[in-house]
Amino acid sequence: MIAPIFDGTFAHSWTAEILPNRPMILPSRHYVYPGQVEEVELGALEILVQPGAGEQPLLATCALGFKDPAAPSGIWAMPHPDWLCAISGGYAYLINVGNPREFTMLRYRPVLKVLCYLPDDLHSSPGGLLLFIGHHSILAWGRDGEAWESDRLSWEGVTIDRIEENILHGQGWDLMTDKDLPFALDLTSGRRV
């Protein structure tokens, strides 16, 4: 497995540390994601989170998805400053650090790559997006939650080439032609252009 990532691109109200293993003495606030699951400890991502000044720290135990190096693990700040994205072997957990019982587990299993998108002009384009790339499509998450999901971009494997002027350019493998075909998505809507 590749070492966990920390990406603080978006402004955030919390601090977090990925622990090498679960502490012997658990903090009073300990949350297991996606809930009580069998053998969650095996390879789980353990994150000690300090939500903000004066608040008690919490331990987030995030169940491991896959041990495959292609499946990322780490912490990403989100477009909303009170939310944290934890990914453990491609399983993505979006956690409200102010109310850690409020979380979303993404339907992409696994997430293969995460991109932070901050537009140059926030007035004429959407606010920032956290882009989750899966095998077939892309899911975008904004300040207020899920912003959009692309249509099928590939039968197996999406490659991102670049972002220019709110347009994401990439390639996806086409089953009928057995070739990688280019695509372009409008980041304001997720639609092809």
Side-chain angles (χ1 to χ4, degrees):
M1 186 187 293
I2 297 173
I5 299 164
F6 175 79
D7 188 313
T9 298
F10 295 106
H12 46 285
S13 61
W14 45 265
T15 59
E17 174 187 3
I18 297 172
L19 303 177
N21 46 39
R22 182 174 292 171
M24 295 294 285
I25 300 173
L26 297 175
S28 60
R29 297 187 341 138
H30 178 217
Y31 298 89
V32 177
Y33 302 102
Q36 297 301 328
V37 294
E38 195 172 306
E39 298 182 10
V40 72
E41 294 85 10
L42 295 176
L45 186 67
E46 301 284 357
I47 305 168
L48 187 61
V49 181
Q50 179 61 56
E55 293 186 54
Q56 292 290 335
L58 65 100
L59 178 65
T61 299
C62 301
L64 177 68
F66 300 92
K67 289 186 178 182
D68 189 322
S73 291
I75 303 169
W76 284 258
M78 296 193 62
H80 192 294
D82 296 335
W83 284 72
L84 170 149
C85 171
I87 300 183
S88 181
Y91 279 21
Y93 307 93
L94 313 182
I95 303 166
N96 180 346
V97 297
N99 178 14
R101 286 188 175 87
E102 183 182 354
F103 80 98
T104 299
M105 183 176 181
L106 292 188
R107 59 188 170 270
Y108 284 19
R109 296 186 190 131
V111 167
L112 296 173
K113 187 171 185 177
V114 181
L115 292 176
C116 299
Y117 169 65
L118 283 169
D120 294 331
D121 181 4
L122 290 172
H123 299 292
S124 67
S125 58
L129 294 171
L130 202 55
L131 303 171
F132 299 97
I133 292 91
H135 284 290
H136 308 138
S137 56
I138 298 172
L139 181 64
W141 210 271
R143 183 177 173 87
D144 298 323
E146 186 175 325
W148 51 261
E149 183 175 14
S150 72
D151 62 356
R152 180 185 286 271
L153 304 170
S154 174
W155 285 92
E156 192 63 39
V158 174
T159 302
I160 305 302
D161 295 329
R162 68 190 182 286
I163 296 175
E164 292 177 340
E165 298 178 9
N166 295 335
I167 304 296
L168 182 143
H169 299 271
Q171 299 176 49
W173 180 71
D174 179 64
L175 176 69
M176 303 310 283
T177 62
D178 192 24
K179 293 181 182 178
D180 284 335
L181 299 178
F183 65 82
L185 295 180
D186 179 343
L187 287 171
T188 61
S189 66
R191 293 190 187 110
R192 289 181 191 247
V193 291

